[in-house]
Amino acid sequence: FGLHPKFVEDLHSSMKNTIPYCPKSFLDFFAEVYFRAWKLSSGPYLQQMEQQCLQDLMHCAVHAQRDGPHPLFPCLRKILNYIHDQRTQLGVQEMMTKLYKPFLWRSLKVANSNVRANAATILFDAFPLYNPDCMRSEIDEVLQQHFDVMMGLLGDPVVMVRVTSVMGVCHVLSLYWELIPSGVIKSLLDRLVRDLAWDSSASAVRVAVLQGLCIVLENRLSHPLVKELLPALKDRIHDVSEKVRIAFCDLLLFVSGLRSIKFYKICPLESLLAQMEEDSCHVVKRIVSLLVTSFQPSRVSSSQQMERCVVLIQSNPLAARRFHQRIVSHLSVAEVVRFMLNMLSTVVHCVEEANEKSREKKP
């Protein structure tokens, strides 16, 4: 890349034409070549690398096809994300901001929804785009522009853009929770939970919200605020779309692994059992995984196990039947045999007690 400025352009053109067809494992090598060439460049070679190579990749990514036999966007995104991940190195953040500025922000408002989706994806991947050498007031102004754009993207009329924006916002919240003003965080989460989670025009948006909240919850600082919002989603267990119900169960399973949030405070047990009565096997197996430690605990006495089994049967007999049909996958052979013997012993004991009481009543 340092032999001659014209050779840089030719070499870049050759590499760019290869990108859609090369093995995915090669993309990281391509990205490293571009980044190291930029780091080692100076003078006219640096200008050539930035304008003719890196900025060209960025511009092509925004306008690339997302679908098809050889989609270019995923490949270019992988290369650019390698550069985004180097933002902590000297000069990278400034370079990204400078090269994206001429086209990225206006691409978020064009009529072509494919371009808007690509630009939104890159914006979230590269967040935050600002020059670290600027004054604090200027940085705050640029960040507010980011937040305003995010809120606008969440209301985009095209489903693909809304889905992209939901996942992008959740990714940003998870990574930069402590750096984003609390008022902005609350506004974004309110929009997700109280608006987009109920998007009746597209189940994909509702699924994205539920999946995105799992990403947000990966940051422990988010738990106190998200904990207060999650109960508003309890009716998603009865959503008309199976994909949404599955995503909601996955969210509950994720929450069940957190100490600070209890899944049964998000969705009542009665709703879970009612859905287990009639839902598909994909949803039922997730509900069983969620309830197995409650109704089939391994570290309690046999009598306590039977008490919980009886409670489940009394609460919802049909759901109890489906629960015990699926519980086998969560237990070892020894645990299954032990449970069956325990249940048989309990039934025999109950029959003997009933017979004894009937004999006592006879004159």
Side-chain angles (χ1 to χ4, degrees), residues 63 103 105-116 156:
H63 296 85
F103 59 89
W105 295 99
R106 55 187 173 88
S107 296
L108 295 166
K109 301 178 181 180
V110 298
N112 189 316
S113 60
N114 187 79
V115 173
R116 292 203 307 276
D156 195 278

Side-chain angles (χ1 to χ4, degrees), residues 9 22 55 73 90 117 234 239 245 261 269 321 339:
E9 185 177 349
C22 72
Q55 192 173 55
F73 177 74
L90 182 64
K234 62 182 179 181
D239 197 281
R245 298 195 301 274
I261 308 176
L269 177 61
R321 182 171 182 271
F339 176 72

Side-chain angles (χ1 to χ4, degrees), residues 6-154:
K6 182 64 173 66
F7 181 68
V8 172
E9 185 177 349
D10 294 339
L11 186 58
H12 165 63
S13 178
S14 178
M15 292 178 66
K16 189 173 72 170
N17 292 334
T18 307
I19 287 173
Y21 309 100
C22 72
K24 297 295 183 286
S25 58
F26 283 23
L27 296 176
D28 285 332
F29 298 121
F30 281 18
E32 186 178 0
V33 167
Y34 277 111
F35 183 72
R36 292 180 64 181
W38 173 80
K39 285 284 289 183
L40 298 173
S41 298
S42 60
Y45 296 100
L46 178 61
Q47 184 179 2
Q48 193 82 356
M49 276 299 306
E50 289 186 347
Q51 296 181 359
Q52 300 299 325
C53 299
L54 296 182
Q55 192 173 55
D56 182 54
L57 289 177
M58 295 171 176
H59 187 270
C60 287
V62 169
H63 296 85
Q65 287 296 321
R66 299 173 70 93
D67 306 311
H70 297 286
L72 182 58
F73 177 74
C75 301
L76 292 176
R77 182 188 181 191
K78 187 174 179 63
I79 292 175
L80 292 175
N81 276 343
Y82 179 93
I83 298 173
H84 299 158
D85 292 340
Q86 314 303 320
R87 61 165 57 90
T88 55
Q89 295 194 36
L90 182 64
V92 177
Q93 182 83 14
E94 181 183 1
M95 176 269 290
M96 288 166 47
T97 303
K98 178 179 68 175
L99 298 185
Y100 276 125
K101 186 176 180 180
F103 59 89
L104 182 62
W105 295 99
R106 55 187 173 88
S107 296
L108 295 166
K109 301 178 181 180
V110 298
N112 189 316
S113 60
N114 187 79
V115 173
R116 292 203 307 276
N118 290 351
T121 301
I122 291 173
L123 175 66
F124 291 120
D125 287 345
F127 180 92
L129 285 173
Y130 66 86
N131 187 342
D133 296 329
C134 290
M135 296 178 60
R136 185 69 229 181
S137 59
E138 295 179 1
I139 293 177
D140 290 341
E141 184 179 344
V142 171
L143 289 178
Q144 187 59 50
Q145 181 187 7
H146 282 71
F147 303 140
D148 292 341
V149 167
M150 288 181 189
M151 191 63 75
L153 288 170
L154 291 175

Side-chain angles (χ1 to χ4, degrees), residues 35 77 106 133 198 206 210 224 314-315 345:
F35 183 72
R77 182 188 181 191
R106 55 187 173 88
D133 296 329
W198 303 85
R206 304 197 298 275
L210 298 171
Q314 290 175 338
S315 301
S345 174

Side-chain angles (χ1 to χ4, degrees), residues 51-314:
Q51 296 181 359
Q52 300 299 325
C53 299
L54 296 182
Q55 192 173 55
D56 182 54
L57 289 177
M58 295 171 176
H59 187 270
C60 287
V62 169
H63 296 85
Q65 287 296 321
R66 299 173 70 93
D67 306 311
H70 297 286
L72 182 58
F73 177 74
C75 301
L76 292 176
R77 182 188 181 191
K78 187 174 179 63
I79 292 175
L80 292 175
N81 276 343
Y82 179 93
I83 298 173
H84 299 158
D85 292 340
Q86 314 303 320
R87 61 165 57 90
T88 55
Q89 295 194 36
L90 182 64
V92 177
Q93 182 83 14
E94 181 183 1
M95 176 269 290
M96 288 166 47
T97 303
K98 178 179 68 175
L99 298 185
Y100 276 125
K101 186 176 180 180
F103 59 89
L104 182 62
W105 295 99
R106 55 187 173 88
S107 296
L108 295 166
K109 301 178 181 180
V110 298
N112 189 316
S113 60
N114 187 79
V115 173
R116 292 203 307 276
N118 290 351
T121 301
I122 291 173
L123 175 66
F124 291 120
D125 287 345
F127 180 92
L129 285 173
Y130 66 86
N131 187 342
D133 296 329
C134 290
M135 296 178 60
R136 185 69 229 181
S137 59
E138 295 179 1
I139 293 177
D140 290 341
E141 184 179 344
V142 171
L143 289 178
Q144 187 59 50
Q145 181 187 7
H146 282 71
F147 303 140
D148 292 341
V149 167
M150 288 181 189
M151 191 63 75
L153 288 170
L154 291 175
D156 195 278
V158 177
V159 172
M160 175 178 61
V161 181
R162 292 204 302 279
V163 170
T164 299
S165 303
V166 167
M167 298 304 292
V169 165
C170 292
H171 177 75
V172 167
L173 290 177
S174 179
L175 290 179
Y176 301 99
W177 183 274
E178 61 270 33
L179 301 179
I180 301 175
S182 58
V184 173
I185 292 176
K186 192 172 187 310
S187 297
L188 291 171
L189 287 176
D190 278 344
R191 185 68 181 274
L192 292 174
V193 174
R194 305 191 189 282
D195 182 12
L196 293 171
W198 303 85
D199 191 330
S200 59
S201 64
S203 62
V205 176
R206 304 197 298 275
V207 169
V209 171
L210 298 171
Q211 292 175 341
L213 288 173
C214 292
I215 297 174
V216 175
L217 288 169
E218 290 176 0
N219 187 323
R220 293 183 179 181
L221 297 175
S222 70
H223 294 181
L225 179 55
V226 177
K227 178 181 178 180
E228 301 300 321
L229 296 172
L230 288 178
L233 299 172
K234 62 182 179 181
D235 289 339
R236 293 304 93 203
I237 190 63
H238 304 303
D239 197 281
V240 295
S241 169
E242 182 188 37
K243 291 182 179 180
V244 176
R245 298 195 301 274
I246 289 174
F248 182 71
C249 290
D250 287 339
L251 174 61
L252 294 180
L253 284 168
F254 185 89
V255 167
S256 68
L258 306 177
R259 292 185 177 181
S260 57
I261 308 176
K262 305 301 180 184
F263 75 87
Y264 49 80
K265 292 187 177 181
I266 300 173
C267 183
L269 177 61
E270 295 77 11
S271 297
L272 292 171
L273 295 179
Q275 200 62 36
M276 190 159 59
E277 277 186 56
E278 56 190 27
D279 217 323
S280 68
C281 61
H282 302 292
V283 177
V284 171
K285 72 178 182 181
R286 286 169 168 81
I287 299 178
V288 170
S289 299
L290 192 64
L291 300 180
V292 65
T293 55
S294 299
F295 292 110
Q296 194 63 36
S298 58
R299 298 182 180 179
V300 298
S301 64
S302 299
S303 60
Q304 288 177 312
Q305 271 195 346
M306 286 300 101
E307 286 176 4
R308 299 194 184 195
C309 180
V310 170
V311 168
L312 177 58
I313 294 172
Q314 290 175 338

